[in-house]
Amino acid sequence: MHVPDGFINAPTSAVTGVVAAGAIAVSLRGARRELDERTAPLAGLVAAFIFAVQMLNFPVAAGTSGHLLGGALAAILVGPFTGVLCVSVVLLMQGILFADGGLTALGVNITDMAIVTTVVAYALFRSLVKVLPRTRRSVTVASFVAALVSVPAAALAFTVLYWIGGTTDVAIGKVATAMIGVHVLIGIGEAVITALTVGAVIAVRPDLVYGARGLQQRLKLRVNGELVDAPGASGPAPAPVAARSHRKVWITGLVASLVLAGFVSFYASADPDGLEKVAADKGIDEKTEEHAAADSPLADYGVKDISDARISGGLAGVIGVGVTVVAGSAVFWSVRRRRSDDASPASTETNV
């Protein structure tokens, strides 16, 4: 789904760049409310995990592969505003360091892969959670459905952008049919990965899953026909598990990301992903431009001058995870610190 330079014309790319910049600005403000002592340490790790899993292309049809987009996963784990920022950090690192996704198309990619997937997935997720039983299993089921729908939604968004500013003369109906069709299949893989990841985290640390907050209900008793709090249910709620150190979860997640990017990625499908396949079949890629970072030492997810493909790709993946977790953590801790500054005693003091 990474759109290269040349697919979308300059005016449309510029407009999506403005849209992306505006969405990021809104997300930076919204993330202040989401990033607390639970989500702040996790957000940078989520970005790194998405980067790692995006390297794992899986086959979906003859000659076509797919990979995680990550908007649904990020929104459910750390919140929708923070989720937009997570995916945006990943796309920025991929575009600058690995020549994956055009730099002039960065606004298109952020709009499509970060904004559309996150907004669609989280809106559907919240709707499902409201009607399903208030259980952890319901969160996992809602995660599956939300992730599944978010991928063809992103494919539809790309189709609309191509209809507005595509650089080749291809019937939009053919583009829509091909894009949505293959991305429904990719969405199944996205849904499985998202549900498994959310389910794994919620099984160990449900307090760390943003989308699972508020599921615990206080025990009620019926007394004289009225519902009242059960003994011990009143007063402040007990301190969540998250009040303790996040170190074990963070280290486990980082190690998993490094293993996926540094080792498992070597066995990923080499077939073109959904967009690449459709572009080649329908002629959308006729005016593709060379990436500005094509000479990057890490271009195409390999380390320059290292001939062994396994070592080159694995090292590039490890570097990518490291850079993404550092960049993401820096952004999220800055936002978290801004929230702390806004709530400092100096800003809340009252006149005596």
Side-chain angles (χ1 to χ4, degrees):
M1 188 67 77
H2 293 76
V3 179
D5 297 317
F7 274 29
I8 307 296
N9 63 29
T12 306
S13 297
V15 171
T16 56
V18 173
V19 171
I24 289 174
V26 171
S27 296
L28 285 170
R29 290 187 62 86
R32 294 186 199 175
R33 299 189 297 271
E34 296 172 347
L35 291 170
D36 54 21
E37 69 280 356
R38 289 175 285 184
T39 52
L42 188 63
L45 179 61
V46 169
F49 183 77
I50 290 173
F51 174 91
V53 180
Q54 283 196 2
M55 294 183 66
L56 309 180
N57 281 48
F58 48 85
V60 295
T64 309
S65 70
H67 63 72
L68 182 80
L69 298 187
L73 178 62
I76 294 165
L77 287 180
V78 292
F81 293 108
T82 308
V84 170
L85 298 178
C86 282
V87 181
S88 297
V89 168
V90 173
L91 293 172
L92 186 61
M93 296 299 102
Q94 290 171 331
I96 294 176
L97 298 178
F98 298 91
D100 189 10
L103 296 184
T104 62
L106 185 59
V108 173
N109 285 319
I110 290 177
T111 300
D112 196 24
M113 296 176 65
I115 301 171
V116 172
T117 58
T118 302
V119 171
V120 170
Y122 197 72
L124 181 55
F125 172 81
R126 293 307 308 173
S127 298
L128 291 172
V129 167
K130 289 180 180 179
V131 299
L132 291 172
R134 298 171 64 83
T135 65
R136 297 177 184 179
R137 180 171 296 179
S138 295
V139 174
T140 304
V141 171
S143 300
F144 182 95
V145 177
L148 174 62
V149 174
S150 71
V151 178
L156 179 61
F158 168 79
T159 302
V160 172
L161 291 174
Y162 183 80
W163 175 60
I164 295 171
T167 56
T168 56
D169 186 15
V170 179
I172 195 63
K174 293 181 178 180
V175 175
T177 301
M179 282 293 293
I180 296 173
V182 71
H183 283 89
V184 167
L185 299 177
I186 294 173
I188 297 173
E190 177 102 10
V192 171
I193 294 171
T194 300
L196 288 176
T197 304
V198 171
V201 177
I202 205 171
V204 194
R205 291 289 299 274
D207 55 295
L208 293 182
V209 179
Y210 183 90
R213 295 184 183 181
L215 292 184
Q216 299 299 324
Q217 296 176 307
R218 291 187 181 277
L219 180 63
K220 298 279 187 177
L221 295 178
R222 187 174 294 277
V223 179
N224 296 327
E226 295 182 2
L227 288 176
V228 299
D229 288 333
S234 59
V241 180
R244 302 196 296 268
S245 173
H246 303 300
R247 184 175 301 174
K248 184 176 180 179
V249 173
W250 197 90
I251 292 175
T252 301
L254 180 60
V255 170
S257 300
L258 291 170
V259 171
L260 292 173
F263 177 73
V264 181
S265 63
F266 181 77
Y267 301 97
S269 173
D271 291 332
D273 66 22
L275 176 59
E276 293 170 337
K277 179 65 173 176
V278 171
D281 289 347
K282 304 301 180 183
I284 296 175
D285 59 355
E286 291 180 0
K287 296 187 178 181
T288 302
E289 301 173 3
E290 184 179 17
H291 199 287
D295 294 330
S296 166
L298 298 173
D300 298 323
Y301 297 94
V303 178
K304 193 174 182 180
D305 298 329
I306 295 182
S307 57
D308 188 296
R310 185 188 297 271
I311 296 176
S312 178
L315 185 56
V318 169
I319 293 172
V321 168
V323 171
T324 303
V325 75
V326 170
S329 297
V331 170
F332 300 125
W333 277 112
S334 296
V335 175
R336 168 64 176 153
R337 184 174 180 180
R338 182 67 178 271
R339 167 178 169 165
S340 299
D341 291 344
D342 290 343
S344 64
S347 63
T348 57
E349 63 182 7
T350 55
N351 295 326
V352 178

